[in-house]
Each structure stands twice: as C-alpha cells, then as structure tokens.
Amino acid sequence: MPAFRYTVSDVMTHTAVAIGREASYKEIVELMDQWKVSAVPVLEGEGRVVGVVSEADLLPKEEFRRDDPVLPDQLEEASKAGGVLAEELMSSPAVTVHPDATLAEAARIVARKHVKRLPVVNGVGMLEGVVGRSDLLKVFLRPDEEIGEEIGEEFRDSVLAGLAPPVHLQASVKEGVVTLRGSLRDRALVPLMARAVRAVEGVVDVRMELEGQPTGAS
C-alpha cells in the first residue's frame, strides 16, 4: 500500500472570508483586521473567484498619499492608490490552486508568486477554501511515532523490499529528523533510500548511520 500523501484539501481552511466586487476599501481593511488575514478572494456570481485583494494591493493608498513624482516602475502600484472598490484594487486573474494539488505544488506557487494565501478553487473556478503558508506547514506537526510507522510501511511495501543485496535498516525519528541505522551493502542505494524517506510528509531531514559509519544523505 503506497504511503498517504497530503493534498491541499487536507490542510486548507474550508470556511473562507471573501468579498464581492463592490466591497469598499474600508470594508476590506476592517474585514482583514477582524479575521486576521492578509488577503481575501473577490467573488462574482455564485462564488467564482475573479481576483484577490491583499495587503500589498491596499498599501499604495498610504504609500502614494502625497503628490511626489511616481517612478516608471511604480506606475502599477500608484494606479491602485485611487481605488475605492474591490474591483479597482484586486489583482486579477487570481493566483489559485486546486484542492487535489500536493502540498509541494502549493508551496511552489506560494514561493514563485510571492503570495501568502491561495484561494482553493474547483474545476470551474468556484471557491472551496483558502490555503496559507501556515497551513502548508501543518504536516510538520505530525508526531514522530506516526512518521516512523509510515516509513516502516513504505519500506515494507516499496520496491526497496525486493532489492538485492538485502536492506536491513531501522528508522528512528526525533523532532522530524529521521535516522536510518543498519546494513546496506550497496552504497549506491543511499540516494534512493533518502529520497523515499524524504517523500514522507513531515520529515525534516534524513541521516544515515550505515555499518557504523555515519553517512550524510543530503
């Protein structure tokens, strides 16, 4: 049986705070303060996501309060300084993610797009929830015992169990760091073993102590 893989739907917030196109600037600020969020999706119709208003979209009103000259690379930001409604302030199209995306996929989107929160949408763009940076870190709250059990199952059920020469390893987990001890005659298998362990959600790092000689798996 393959190891369980977490998806966005496992960690996202299902009850998402959202606004419509006509939401006012002050209403958006008050909503963010009330719910302690850094961004809110903008919806139209029955719940289709058409954009996102983030703190970054709201700050130009303060940044460009004075009539100082605007530099060429500030034109896009400055244009939002006069916005009073969500449809004038929002970033569109919204950067979104699907509920069946892996946590790694969601983390890559967050990093590459420089956002803190992602609306989670279904196949037709309807809002199902929101996933933030803190949600993506929830897998690192898994107990060490649970991680160790999954690693044991992974080794028993994976192709590694049928490799020759035989693999005789024991895994211990402390604070998410996995240490593999035992005998492994073919050192060429080390990267394969490390990759299999790192694929388990919640693993912080992998260390190997083979035949009495510590071997770094990084």
Side-chain angles (χ1 to χ4, degrees):
M1 181 178 64
F4 177 75
R5 293 289 176 262
Y6 285 81
T7 63
V8 166
S9 63
D10 296 313
V11 300
M12 72 181 189
T13 301
H14 291 266
T15 305
V17 181
I19 57 176
R21 285 181 176 271
E22 301 301 312
S24 70
Y25 184 100
K26 190 167 184 177
E27 180 184 350
I28 298 169
V29 174
E30 290 174 341
L31 197 63
M32 286 183 175
D33 180 66
Q34 177 185 353
W35 293 95
K36 308 302 179 189
V37 295
S38 59
V40 288
V42 182
L43 310 182
E44 71 175 8
E46 297 182 356
R48 187 169 63 87
V49 178
V50 293
V52 171
V53 176
S54 69
E55 293 168 333
D57 296 315
L58 299 174
L59 282 175
K61 190 171 291 293
E62 182 64 28
E63 180 182 358
F64 298 98
R65 182 176 296 280
R66 299 171 59 182
D67 293 328
D68 295 333
V70 177
L71 300 176
D73 61 353
Q74 296 177 317
L75 291 175
E76 184 177 353
E77 288 183 77
S79 67
K80 292 189 177 183
V84 295
L85 300 178
E87 62 183 0
E88 300 166 333
L89 297 160
M90 68 184 185
S91 297
S92 181
V95 179
T96 62
V97 68
H98 292 294
D100 58 353
T102 66
L103 300 192
E105 290 169 339
R108 280 194 290 270
I109 295 173
V110 167
R112 291 173 182 173
K113 298 297 183 178
H114 304 289
V115 296
K116 297 179 180 179
R117 292 162 60 83
L118 293 170
V120 183
V121 300
N122 62 18
V124 293
M126 305 293 283
L127 183 68
E128 294 196 354
V130 172
V131 65
R133 292 175 178 176
S134 60
D135 297 317
L136 298 176
L137 295 174
K138 286 178 181 177
V139 290
F140 293 104
L141 298 176
R142 296 183 72 190
D144 290 339
E145 295 78 9
E146 184 178 309
I147 295 173
E149 290 175 3
E150 183 171 333
I151 290 172
E153 293 175 1
E154 182 79 0
F155 284 147
R156 284 195 300 272
D157 300 333
S158 72
V159 67
L160 296 175
L163 289 175
V167 176
H168 300 292
L169 294 176
Q170 288 185 334
S172 62
V173 188
K174 184 175 182 180
E175 298 294 321
V177 177
V178 180
T179 301
L180 298 178
R181 296 181 177 89
S183 60
L184 186 62
R185 297 176 188 172
D186 186 356
R187 291 304 181 94
L189 296 178
V190 169
L192 180 61
M193 302 290 289
R195 190 160 53 247
V197 173
R198 283 201 180 93
V200 174
E201 301 285 7
V203 170
V204 175
D205 195 13
V206 183
R207 299 172 182 173
M208 292 195 176
E209 297 181 3
L210 306 177
E211 301 177 347
Q213 298 295 323
T215 302
S218 301

